[in-house]
């Protein structure tokens, strides 16, 4: 554990192009610390920046990666040596939105690998503000790099579950249930007491796996019309004497078909949580929402204050990380991006620095 002379990194010099390079270690601003990266997860958002024309706030060249765990090596003396999770989005904590308790959507928020200057997680080190870091006091024997997924893949679903106000006995549908975010929505819903958790996705093998991690029933939507998926869902409700009202539906696929399924299933007093992202438009008769007294809720990021609670759920074995993570050396970043973009990965890839 020491302060390096240079930061080693894989920079995105332009979309679809990564270059391994070294950059200067910046002088830390007041309140900042330097974190030695233990692991950084490859997120769908990184792939969007890299392949799909989504712009980063900082123009390239910059280092991508916002799902980071690591150890503090410089900055506030009291913090040196601490192991931390870096929240994927860090609010400014001083604007009106933050004051209203909605800091997860602060307009001045900073996100590594996007809006924190040129710095991101696919690197040996990263300078970050210390205020909102989540300190891991005792990781109970699990390697630090695994905790990187708490930075985003687990906390974003937790925030969504909070917005949905998940309670014991709830009925939940998770669309895109086997993806990077969906696997944690099913687990969090179950951990918070949801009684029925229907997982919808398109890969049978992964759907079967979801039954061990929170899901109580699965629907394979592959090659099915939206109406067919709805009919399967309705038959299931009927057979199990489940009411059609009050379902909490999480759209995590970030896919237009998934969004259409979500809108189709939304019914009386229900909630549709939009967690996934895409650039397409869907048509919906808004009057249905009125007639159903239903809600559609967008949810973004996670408030740093929830990180401790999520971390505790992981440490208490209520949420499983390891079955959904594959560790790889960071030198395999290009291959990992390609495979993620092609949808070929069974697990979340967490890259560990091997510079
Ligand atoms: Zn992400
Ligand atoms: Zn703010």
């Amino acid at each position: 554990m020491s302060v390096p002379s240079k930061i080693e990194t894989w920079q995105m010099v332009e979309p679809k192009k990564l270059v391994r390079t070294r950059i200067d270690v910046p002088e830390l601003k007041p309140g900042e610390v330097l974190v030695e990266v233990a692991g950084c997860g490859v997120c769908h958002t990184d792939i969007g920046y890299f392949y799909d024309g989504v712009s980063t706030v900082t123009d390239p060249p910059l280092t991508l990666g916002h799902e980071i765990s690591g150890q503090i090596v410089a900055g506030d003396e009291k913090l040196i040596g601490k192991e931390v999770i870096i929240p994927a989005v860090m609010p400014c904590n001083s604007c009106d939105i933050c004051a209203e308790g909605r800091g997860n959507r602060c307009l001045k928020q900073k996100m590594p690998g996007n809006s924190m200057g040129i710095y991101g997680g696919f690197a040996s080190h990263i300078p970050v503000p210390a205020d909102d870091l989540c300190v891991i006091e005792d990781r109970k024997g699990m390697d630090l790099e695994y905790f990187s997924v708490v930075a985003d893949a687990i906390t974003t679903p937790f925030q969504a579950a909070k917005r949905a106000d998940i309670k014991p006995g709830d009925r939940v549908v998770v669309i895109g249930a086997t993806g990077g975010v969906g696997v944690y929505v099913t687990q969090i819903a179950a951990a918070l007491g949801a009684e029925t958790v229907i997982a919808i996705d398109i890969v049978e093998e992964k759907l079967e796996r979801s039954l061990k991690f929170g899901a109580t029933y699965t629907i394979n939507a592959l090659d099915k019309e939206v109406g067919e998926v709805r009919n399967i869902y309705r038959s299931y409700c009927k057979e199990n004497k489940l009411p059609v009202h009050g379902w909490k539906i999480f759209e995590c696929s970030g896919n237009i078909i998934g969004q259409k399924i979500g809108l189709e299933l939304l019914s009386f007093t229900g909630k549709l949580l939009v967690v996934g992202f895409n650039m397409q438009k869907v048509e919906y008769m808004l009057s249905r929402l009125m007639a159903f007294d239903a809600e559609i809720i967008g949810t973004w990021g996670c408030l740093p204050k929830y990180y401790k609670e999520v971390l505790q759920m992981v440490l208490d074995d209520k949420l499983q990380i390891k079955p959904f993570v594959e560790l790889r050396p960071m030198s395999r970043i290009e291959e990992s991006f390609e495979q993620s973009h092609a949808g070929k990965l069974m697990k979340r890839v967490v890259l560990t620095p091997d510079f």
Side-chain angles (χ1 to χ4, degrees), residues 206-319:
K206 291 187 183 178
L207 280 167
E208 270 163 37
R209 181 180 68 178
S210 75
L211 290 169
K212 289 193 211 113
F213 299 96
T216 55
Y217 180 66
T218 65
I219 299 176
N220 190 335
L222 185 67
D223 297 330
K224 290 193 181 71
E225 298 290 333
V226 171
E228 285 177 80
V229 174
R230 177 202 57 214
N231 290 344
I232 297 171
Y233 161 80
R234 284 200 188 148
S235 317
Y236 178 78
C237 290
K238 208 167 168 189
E239 279 160 27
N240 292 277
K241 298 191 171 56
L242 298 168
V244 292
H245 72 268
W247 285 78
K248 294 169 181 176
I249 302 160
F250 293 78
E251 201 314 285
C252 308
S253 72
N255 168 303
I256 191 160
I257 310 282
Q259 293 179 335
K260 285 181 179 170
I261 292 171
L263 289 166
E264 187 64 32
L265 301 190
L266 183 61
S267 186
F268 296 97
T269 69
K271 290 182 183 177
L272 173 61
L273 285 295
V274 182
V275 189
F277 174 83
N278 78 29
M279 301 279 278
Q280 290 173 287
K281 292 178 183 172
V282 283
E283 215 176 69
Y284 183 66
M285 188 169 73
L286 277 176
S287 305
R288 276 163 68 110
L289 207 60
M290 176 273 284
F292 288 153
D293 200 16
E295 292 166 71
I296 300 177
I297 303 170
T299 165
W300 170 270
C302 180
L303 285 167
K305 71 170 183 184
Y306 291 145
Y307 275 69
K308 276 274 167 220
E309 201 174 331
V310 177
L311 175 62
Q312 200 55 50
M313 286 167 93
V314 171
L315 294 171
D316 291 346
D317 262 351
K318 287 183 184 159
L319 300 176

Side-chain angles (χ1 to χ4, degrees), residues 139-158:
R139 52 187 157 78
K140 303 215 169 139
M142 187 158 69
D143 289 333
L144 181 56
E145 43 269 43
Y146 284 107
F147 288 88
S148 63
V149 291
V150 175
D152 183 21
I154 309 186
T155 37
T156 296
F158 189 81

Side-chain angles (χ1 to χ4, degrees), residues 91-99 103 105-109:
C92 78
N93 295 323
S94 60
C95 72
D96 289 347
I97 294 180
C98 287
R105 194 48 285 194
C106 166
L107 301 182
K108 289 189 227 154
Q109 65 187 194

Side-chain angles (χ1 to χ4, degrees), residues 72-83:
I72 297 174
V73 295
D76 186 343
E77 292 276 311
K78 293 191 296 294
L79 294 172
I80 291 176
K82 296 270 186 205
E83 296 179 330

